[in-house]
Amino acid sequence: MRLRTALIAGAGALLLAALGASLYWLYAAGAVRDGVERWVEERRAEGYVVGYRTLEVRGFPLFLRAEVSEPSLARAGSYGPWEWRGAALHAAIRPWNFQHLTLSFPGAQRVEFNLLNQARVLTASVGGAWAALAFDPAGALRHGVLELENMELAGLSQSDLLRVGWARLEARFRNPPPPTHQSASIEISVTMQALDLPARAAGPLGPNIDGIQAEASLMGVIPPGPPAEAVAGWRDDGGTVELERLVLDWGPLELKANGTLALDQAMQPIGSLTAEIRGYAETLDALVQAGAAPPRDAAIAKVVLNLLAQTPPDGGPPVLTVPLTAQDGRLFVGPVALIELPPIEWP
């Protein structure tokens, strides 16, 4: 009798727990729907144009997943109009943890914007795209990750396509931001593999980049305002970018570097890096063949760099360890001015 009573009591407790969990999920699902609709109204009050066709909340019992079809976000803005449209957007959280959000972007994405007073349209199709965001208890973003697979991006230059086999972007935000430029406000890491560049952007080293890795910290805070004014204010306050790691594998060039980047008074990049380079001779030949470097300058550079390079103890191609310097619109490899840097045109 006691065993039967205990079993009945246990079953009743489980039933009540399941009922409570179901009611809580339904309540949380309603809160998610209300939260999305409230966010939409808040953005519209700020001047954004927000739209979607349908909104469904699914995922019982372990997830709350808001599935939005045909989402769009646009704004006229004082820095030029822009608009984003997607086939769908899925946002998921755990019912017991509202500080971690996972996003996925199935289907095609389209972005329209103005760049240097020219209208641009970018369309992207991806084999897979997802993002994970983490917030602090106050709701400020503190960590974000974005991953893309088999992405094709059209619109950079007429019908040219940029293809990326795999990419990952990770950012960590310091909240509240640091009081001085001596501390990092954002830490960023980027990894991309198997890039096929648009024909017009291929450059002298060819259209295929095997891989890029970068880890950097933004020192100081870029204030709000028009881009040129905001970045100039950050520069004037001593802001820099600390490049902890850069790895580039592009054609004959294998590069590893680290150092500091900044902007000069003309808002052009300057920097001082320490680089380890393999394939420098073949890279110089490619620059000459593409007309990016004068043959005489490249020949002199090759002689100088051969004197500075060292052969690894275990053999293999020579390795050049030299400073890389960007100043006065030129890139210097050691003492040699190698190429002209394209100027940045700020809106």
Side-chain angles (χ1 to χ4, degrees):
M1 181 64 69
R2 290 181 178 179
L3 177 59
R4 180 181 178 184
T5 301
L7 290 174
I8 293 173
L14 290 175
L15 181 60
L16 287 174
L19 179 60
S22 299
L23 291 175
Y24 173 74
W25 188 93
L26 291 172
Y27 168 79
V32 168
R33 176 182 289 275
D34 292 343
V36 171
E37 293 175 348
R38 183 170 59 252
W39 182 89
V40 168
E41 293 304 318
E42 290 173 351
R43 299 293 80 75
R44 286 173 176 169
E46 294 173 353
Y48 291 88
V49 178
V50 186
Y52 58 88
R53 187 168 65 87
T54 61
L55 167 62
E56 300 289 341
V57 181
R58 308 178 188 275
F60 178 83
L62 298 179
F63 289 95
L64 291 162
R65 186 171 65 248
E67 299 182 358
V68 182
S69 66
E70 299 180 15
S72 64
L73 182 64
R75 190 173 187 182
S78 56
Y79 315 133
W82 57 267
E83 180 182 24
W84 164 73
R85 290 183 177 273
L89 170 64
H90 298 168
I93 58 174
R94 297 282 190 177
W96 56 86
N97 186 353
F98 280 64
Q99 293 180 4
H100 290 81
L101 174 66
T102 301
L103 303 172
S104 59
F105 307 88
Q109 311 291 321
R110 175 185 174 94
V111 179
E112 298 183 28
F113 61 98
N114 277 349
L115 179 63
L116 303 178
N117 298 318
Q118 294 183 357
R120 301 293 180 92
V121 178
L122 300 183
T123 57
S125 63
V126 293
W130 68 273
L133 306 176
F135 302 87
D136 62 23
L141 180 62
R142 59 181 176 85
H143 182 212
V145 177
L146 172 66
E147 285 197 10
L148 302 169
E149 293 181 356
N150 300 321
M151 181 183 73
E152 290 189 351
L153 186 62
L156 293 173
S157 54
Q158 296 183 359
S159 61
D160 287 339
L161 286 177
L162 168 65
R163 295 183 175 90
V164 181
W166 180 80
R168 176 185 172 91
L169 169 65
E170 183 173 4
R172 296 183 181 275
F173 303 85
R174 180 175 173 182
N175 295 307
T180 71
H181 65 274
Q182 296 178 349
S183 300
S185 59
I186 307 175
E187 298 175 352
I188 298 175
S189 65
V190 179
T191 303
M192 291 186 285
Q193 298 175 356
L195 281 78
D196 296 334
L197 300 176
R200 298 186 182 185
L205 300 184
N208 308 116
I209 298 178
D210 291 333
I212 301 174
Q213 298 179 42
E215 298 176 6
S217 297
L218 179 73
M219 311 301 288
V221 179
I222 298 178
E229 294 180 12
V231 173
W234 165 76
R235 175 206 61 193
D236 294 342
D237 195 40
T240 60
V241 173
E242 296 299 324
L243 186 63
E244 286 91 14
R245 174 180 169 85
L246 172 64
V247 178
L248 175 63
D249 190 358
W250 186 4
L253 177 65
E254 297 181 23
L255 170 71
K256 297 180 180 179
N258 62 78
T260 301
L261 303 173
L263 293 172
D264 62 17
Q265 291 303 309
M267 297 289 288
Q268 299 305 308
I270 55 175
S272 177
L273 308 176
T274 299
E276 182 180 286
I277 303 173
R278 291 177 172 83
Y280 63 89
E282 295 83 357
T283 299
L284 286 170
D285 293 339
L287 292 174
V288 171
Q289 186 174 1
R296 182 176 180 275
D297 292 351
I300 295 174
K302 192 180 295 186
V303 171
V304 174
L305 299 180
N306 279 334
L307 295 175
L308 298 173
Q310 294 183 347
T311 300
D314 55 354
V319 178
L320 180 65
T321 303
V322 292
L324 288 181
T325 307
Q327 64 182 39
D328 300 327
R330 293 185 293 177
L331 177 66
F332 292 81
V333 180
V336 180
L338 187 59
I339 58 174
E340 299 286 333
L341 296 174
I344 297 177
E345 298 182 21
W346 294 92

